[in-house]
Amino acid sequence: MRLIHRSEGARWLDSLLVVLAVGLSVAVLIVAGSILESNERRIAAFGDSLEARHLVVTSVAADDSAFRAGADARRLGSVYTAQLRFTSEDVEAALRAAPSVDCWYRTSIQRFDTDAWDGVIAGFAVTPDYLDAARVEVVAGSLPTAGDFAELRPVMLVTRRFAAALELEGDPIGQQVHFVGEAAPYTIVGILPSRDDQPISIREAIVPLAPGDTFSEMTFAVEDVRDMPQAVAEMRAFASDRWGDAATVLARADAFAGYLLENRQRNLATAVLATAALLVSASNVMGLLLARAARDRFRIGMARTFGASKLAVRRRVLLDAGALGTVGGLMGVGASFVLLRVYNADLARDSGNFQVQYAISPVVVVIALAVALALCLVAAAYPAHAASRASIVSAIGGA
């Protein structure tokens, strides 16, 4: 009796270990596959995005690490005081020199302090051309008008999440928001779509940008991404003639495409490693079932004595493997939601303004479960065959 209990305990323990191994592999495979699928959709949509259609003429001083420190730049002061600064006349000259360019725009991060929010709000201050180039549409209200930009009226576009966080009651359109240190309240004139539907990444709000000042970057856009090579060539010739080595022209599409490609390769590598882990789990299933068949020779012999066929023995072993794969796969699905939530939380803590939230892909879940089940069944094929070939006499005699 004690031997039987030990055998049952061993069965439960090794089954649990295999289920955990399968579950962890499936979880990693689902998370990597879901992120990969999301990034592939971004790559497919990239050709129509603003990042793929714009180029920047930037002062060489814009690469100064002090400025790139973000909020610390305020403490350090302007790093462009004695460096190249662009004016509206430079913009007009660039547009004349580069007929392939359709429009120009400017963006600037603006911070708002509010007692209604636990922390500092980051928004984008933009020119009207930015909204056109980004093809921004609103789900309620309207975009800022030309008068709002020209007269520097304190208006803003917000997401519904931002409006809810400000604890605004009822329709936020037309309501005013007071910020610490601002002379006048900002009036909400439009509601932006949710981040997943938005063609640009906006953390909280859009506000008009002050016109007429100088700046270190001029950003231009084309309507058709196929015009980008010609626009880059024209703008580089203009920048070289006007400023020489003091300014450079960058095509953001190159950097963004490189980032997407790097992200794709990283997630492909993760998916390959998860699949390899599944293969290891499948080999563990094979070893487990072979060891279990050796331990169960007496049971197999008794079953064969009472009329069990070889097919029935094979079916029993395959059912064991299928159960391990199914339970492990389902555990992996549950674990994948936890892993992705942790990953999204880590992204949300990023101080940057480009926050992407990933979701589990149902298609990837089905594929991962099918792969886990198939591998476990394939791994069980040989143990099932070996168990069915066991001699009745030798099985009983070796008990």
Side-chain angles (χ1 to χ4, degrees):
M1 182 65 69
R2 183 178 302 173
L3 185 60
I4 294 176
H5 285 309
R6 285 182 180 177
S7 177
E8 290 296 329
R11 289 172 64 90
W12 280 104
L13 179 59
D14 53 27
S15 296
L16 178 61
L17 293 176
V18 169
V19 165
L20 290 176
V22 172
L24 181 59
S25 302
V26 168
V28 174
L29 184 59
I30 289 175
V31 170
S34 296
I35 295 176
L36 186 63
E37 184 196 44
S38 178
N39 287 337
E40 288 301 308
R41 283 190 277 108
R42 284 187 173 86
I43 292 174
F46 176 64
D48 192 49
S49 69
L50 179 58
E51 285 85 356
R53 298 184 288 112
H54 78 183
L55 63 151
V56 179
V57 180
T58 180
S59 166
V60 172
D63 292 330
D64 192 295
S65 59
F67 178 77
R68 294 304 178 190
D72 291 339
R74 288 187 174 187
R75 197 170 62 240
L76 297 170
S78 174
V79 298
Y80 302 121
T81 302
Q83 303 296 337
L84 176 62
R85 302 288 292 180
F86 302 125
T87 66
S88 58
E89 289 76 14
D90 293 321
V91 172
E92 294 170 1
L95 289 173
R96 288 194 299 269
S100 297
V101 171
D102 295 303
C103 66
W104 90 287
Y105 65 86
R106 288 183 58 206
T107 64
S108 176
I109 297 297
Q110 188 162 329
R111 296 183 177 277
F112 302 95
D113 290 286
T114 173
D115 295 331
W117 180 282
D118 184 18
V120 178
I121 301 303
F124 271 97
V126 302
T127 59
D129 276 351
Y130 176 77
L131 301 177
D132 293 334
R135 298 170 183 156
V136 174
E137 298 179 356
V138 294
V139 294
S142 64
L143 296 175
T145 65
D148 294 324
F149 284 91
E151 300 175 24
L152 299 181
R153 291 173 182 159
V155 299
M156 63 169 40
L157 302 157
V158 300
T159 61
R160 291 200 183 278
R161 182 172 69 89
F162 184 21
L166 292 175
E167 300 180 352
L168 300 177
E169 297 182 358
D171 186 2
I173 302 298
Q175 295 197 45
Q176 294 185 331
V177 182
H178 293 266
F179 296 102
V180 177
E182 297 289 335
Y186 277 73
T187 302
I188 298 176
V189 296
I191 302 296
L192 296 169
S194 64
R195 181 175 288 112
D196 291 340
D197 300 328
Q198 188 65 20
I200 54 178
S201 296
I202 301 171
R203 186 172 183 177
E204 301 297 352
I206 289 181
V207 299
L209 183 67
D213 57 347
T214 61
F215 38 91
S216 60
E217 288 186 347
M218 297 187 296
T219 309
F220 299 87
V222 295
E223 282 298 318
D224 191 338
V225 70
R226 292 172 294 184
D227 295 333
M228 178 59 74
Q230 181 62 27
V232 171
E234 294 170 353
M235 198 61 70
R236 282 179 175 161
F238 167 78
S240 177
D241 292 340
R242 195 175 184 93
W243 298 292
D245 295 333
T248 184
V249 178
L250 305 173
R252 290 284 173 85
D254 297 338
F256 195 75
Y259 165 77
L260 289 175
L261 180 60
E262 180 182 350
N263 210 6
R264 171 198 281 174
Q265 293 172 341
R266 182 168 56 249
N267 285 289
L268 275 174
T270 304
V272 169
L273 289 176
T275 303
L278 267 178
L279 290 173
V280 172
S281 299
S283 67
N284 290 336
V285 170
M286 178 183 293
L288 164 69
L289 294 177
L290 283 172
R292 185 173 291 180
R295 289 198 307 265
D296 291 351
R297 285 181 301 172
F298 176 73
R299 295 183 182 182
I300 294 173
M302 291 300 297
R304 293 293 308 279
T305 299
F306 287 102
S309 64
K310 292 184 178 181
L311 180 61
V313 174
R314 292 195 192 100
R315 187 184 299 119
R316 174 59 185 273
V317 176
L318 291 174
L319 284 175
D320 281 349
L324 292 173
T326 301
V327 174
L330 293 176
M331 287 181 60
V333 173
S336 68
F337 283 92
V338 177
L339 289 177
L340 198 59
R341 174 173 292 185
V342 172
Y343 183 69
N344 283 332
D346 184 63
L347 288 178
R349 286 193 295 269
D350 188 352
S351 59
N353 293 286
F354 301 99
Q355 297 181 14
V356 179
Q357 297 291 289
Y358 293 100
I360 294 296
S361 167
V363 174
V364 174
V365 169
V366 172
I367 293 175
L369 287 174
V371 169
L373 182 59
L375 287 177
C376 287
L377 291 177
V378 169
Y382 177 70
H385 177 71
S388 67
R389 289 176 58 87
S391 167
I392 298 177
V393 175
S394 62
I396 296 176

